Amino acid sequence: MRARVLSGAGFGLVLACWPVLCAPALACLVQLTRRNARYYMTPQRDAVLGIAATPQGWRVEDHASSKPGGRRGAPLRTLVLADLIEAADSQGIAIYATAADDSLAEAYRTELPDMVIAGKGWPRGTKLYRAPSSTG
């Protein structure tokens, strides 16, 4: 009888925890299968950058690296953002992002010409915005 009670309690605990344990994996799967987003990764597989099409423009998002602060994302941004700027300008599309902190915001502003601070990010960081260039 005791084994059945423990087994039932264990099963109940697994059922109760399942959504919490699986939610991050499901969220990642949903993000990666969106039709409006593309993800770019370095050949070394140590940094990733997502670009999503939204009604407001193209959003730079999901930028991550294996060693945050290790400058692994900068070469990827250099490759992807040059083509992104050219395509956005030729189609009259704005680019926006949210930098996690002030130092990243300044790095993005250096790499993306005409990027301006557009306010506080949510839940943290700095919102950035770049209007399409008329010379694109």
Side-chain angles (χ1 to χ4, degrees), residues 11-38:
F11 182 70
L13 185 62
V14 167
L15 285 178
C17 292
W18 183 82
V20 173
L21 297 174
C22 292
L26 291 174
C28 185
L29 182 62
V30 167
Q31 281 186 314
L32 292 175
T33 57
R34 293 179 298 168
R35 290 180 174 218
N36 69 325
R38 297 294 178 264

Side-chain angles (χ1 to χ4, degrees), residues 28 32 38-51 61-66 72-73 75-77 79-80:
C28 185
L32 292 175
R38 297 294 178 264
Y39 287 83
Y40 302 90
M41 184 181 292
T42 61
Q44 299 81 13
R45 301 175 67 104
D46 60 359
V48 66
L49 180 67
I51 309 294
E61 62 180 30
D62 298 333
H63 188 26
S65 71
S66 61
R72 297 184 188 275
L76 179 62
R77 289 193 308 270
L79 286 172
V80 173

Side-chain angles (χ1 to χ4, degrees), residues 98 102 117-122 124-127:
T98 300
D102 291 341
I117 294 174
K120 298 287 279 178
W122 189 90
R124 65 185 172 106
T126 304
K127 284 186 191 178

Side-chain angles (χ1 to χ4, degrees), residues 29 47 85 103 114 118 125 132:
L29 182 62
I85 290 168
S103 64
D114 305 322

